[in-house]
Amino acid sequence: MPKRNKITVVGAGNVGATAAHWIAAKELADVVLVDIVEGVPQGKSLDLAQAAPIDGFDVHIKGANSYEDTKDSDVVIITAGIPRKPGMSRDDLLKTNSEIVGNVTSEVVKYSPNCFIIVVSNPLDAMTQVAFKRSGFPKNRVMGMAGILDSARMRCFLAEALNVSVENVTAFVLGGHGDTMVPLPRFSTCAGIPITELLPKEQIDAICKRTANGGAEIVGLLKTGSAYYAPSLAAVEMAEAILKDKKKILPCAVYLEGEYGINKLFVGVPVKLGKDGVEQIIEIHLTAEERTALHKSAGAVEELIKILGI
Ligand SMILES: NC(=O)c1ccc[n+]([C@@H]2O[C@H](COP(=O)([O-])OP(=O)(O)OC[C@H]3O[C@@H](n4cnc5c(N)ncnc54)[C@H](O)[C@@H]3O)[C@@H](O)[C@H]2O)c1
């Protein structure tokens, strides 16, 4: 009997619990949901397990407040963190979340020394760098989720503008996860046709702007939280690509060592995900303008890394 895969999701908040939902519904793996709040991961896991007979998925789902049950996970998705509180600066949040992600990573690697780590906690690129440093893992086993979400947002807006199926639309977004991200219209297509041939420049520019502002738009509507359906599914797509050895090209935050002229930083670029995690970093030729935008975005990540001193 082949062994079922195992995914640990740390943080049983909106993103973590919804990731557990997607994983279970896809029957991708058994799930362990971990949170510091007592009862929440257990309660959400029990609730999700009770959905299984209705939808017909056969996976084990367990909630926990410690890491023993996470032993030998194949993939760990880290969504733990706190949102910014009144009076808290961005730097305060950066430091608090880096402590959380660092401590979570130490526990994770103790029990699952061979896992792949997918970081979702914000600020994404810096938190992925924290997990990478703390884990001591090779760079192919630590990656951050942002580009899939950002390009899914762009795909959603493009499909709406073109009045076509979302399945026909691909989009390409590079850079750090934040307002300096770099949507690339000339690599974005509808049924293989570059969107630059299908939509006027002003409309494309507006879509790129809305994409870069995509997270804030949802925060503005929700008021008490941030997006979680698409972010959680994006993280699960990465786990699925690895566990099924799909060799899928996806934009992910990965550790660059000279690629795109960027060194020792996690920044979003297209990579190939398969059974060895990040199997290849794909370098495409950028125009001078695109390269400048990417370097500006990487510079924003570097600022955070400097503050953290890692
Ligand atoms: N990368 C992206 O594109 C993206 C998209 C959406 C959200 N996010 C980020 O993902 C994170 C989670 O978002 P959310 O909406 O689920 O937030 P949330 O507040 O709903 O959930 C966070 C959970 O983390 C838990 N937690 C805090 N410290 C912990 C610790 N030390 N160990 C275990 N659990 C701990 C909290 O108890 C809470 O349940 C945030 O940092 C958010 O900014 C990133």
Side-chain angles (χ1 to χ4, degrees):
M1 271 286 280
K3 193 177 130 290
R4 203 183 285 139
N5 288 311
K6 179 169 175 178
I7 301 179
T8 286
V9 181
V10 186
N14 281 338
V15 176
T18 315
H21 178 190
W22 294 117
I23 296 162
K26 284 170 172 282
E27 279 189 336
L28 182 60
D30 290 336
V31 188
V32 182
L33 192 56
V34 181
D35 202 288
I36 40 165
V37 182
E38 278 179 31
V40 167
Q42 293 86 348
K44 291 192 180 182
S45 298
L46 187 58
D47 186 11
L48 188 52
Q50 291 167 358
I54 304 170
D55 197 37
F57 52 80
D58 283 305
V59 294
H60 296 291
I61 305 154
K62 182 150 195 201
N65 299 115
S66 61
Y67 288 78
E68 289 80 6
D69 288 320
T70 70
K71 194 174 179 310
D72 294 331
S73 293
D74 300 289
V75 174
V76 176
I77 300 174
I78 299 179
T79 77
I82 58 155
R84 202 158 132 198
K85 295 184 179 143
M88 206 179 191
S89 72
R90 272 181 197 279
D91 288 359
D92 292 340
L93 180 72
L94 175 73
K95 287 185 181 149
T96 305
N97 277 353
S98 85
E99 266 167 43
I100 292 174
V101 170
N103 293 339
V104 163
T105 305
S106 296
E107 290 297 315
V108 160
V109 302
K110 206 189 298 175
Y111 291 96
S112 303
N114 299 315
C115 71
F116 295 92
I117 296 178
I118 299 171
V119 179
V120 182
S121 310
N122 271 325
L124 189 272
D125 307 88
M127 292 307 105
T128 312
Q129 192 131 343
V130 168
F132 173 61
K133 294 276 169 178
R134 185 68 75 93
S135 66
F137 280 6
K139 62 179 183 176
N140 62 307
R141 287 207 275 132
V142 184
M143 62 212 87
M145 186 295 294
I148 300 175
L149 171 66
D150 298 330
S151 51
R153 285 180 172 149
M154 189 166 167
R155 288 171 69 190
C156 169
F157 302 145
L158 285 169
E160 200 178 23
L162 292 161
N163 192 24
V164 297
S165 163
V166 288
E167 291 186 74
N168 282 137
V169 181
T170 66
F172 210 98
V173 180
L174 291 179
H177 185 50
D179 45 18
T180 59
M181 73 176 73
V182 189
L184 292 183
R186 73 190 177 99
F187 292 120
S188 304
T189 65
C190 173
I193 308 160
I195 56 149
T196 44
E197 294 189 17
L198 300 172
L199 289 171
K201 184 174 180 314
E202 308 75 65
Q203 201 174 356
I204 292 177
D205 288 349
I207 286 175
C208 290
K209 202 168 160 207
R210 191 173 175 199
T211 300
N213 197 38
E217 183 178 355
I218 290 180
V219 169
L221 291 165
L222 294 179
K223 295 185 183 70
T224 56
S226 54
Y228 53 98
Y229 291 113
S232 54
L233 186 55
V236 172
E237 184 180 31
M238 291 167 70
E240 188 170 24
I242 295 169
L243 293 174
K244 294 187 177 171
D245 191 22
K246 286 178 81 86
K247 316 280 187 208
K248 200 166 189 178
I249 313 285
L250 293 166
C252 303
V254 295
Y255 194 59
L256 299 182
E257 291 179 297
E259 297 90 350
Y260 292 94
I262 297 167
N263 207 17
K264 296 189 169 35
L265 268 189
F266 274 83
V267 176
V269 294
V271 300
K272 188 198 283 180
L273 291 190
K275 67 175 180 2
D276 295 322
V278 181
E279 296 187 349
Q280 191 188 342
I281 292 171
I282 292 149
E283 269 192 277
I284 49 162
H285 181 74
L286 299 178
T287 63
E289 196 185 340
E290 291 162 351
R291 206 175 164 83
T292 304
L294 179 61
H295 280 242
K296 186 176 166 217
S297 182
V301 178
E302 198 169 20
E303 287 298 311
L304 303 183
I305 297 302
K306 272 194 199 140
I307 295 168
L308 291 175
I310 54 169

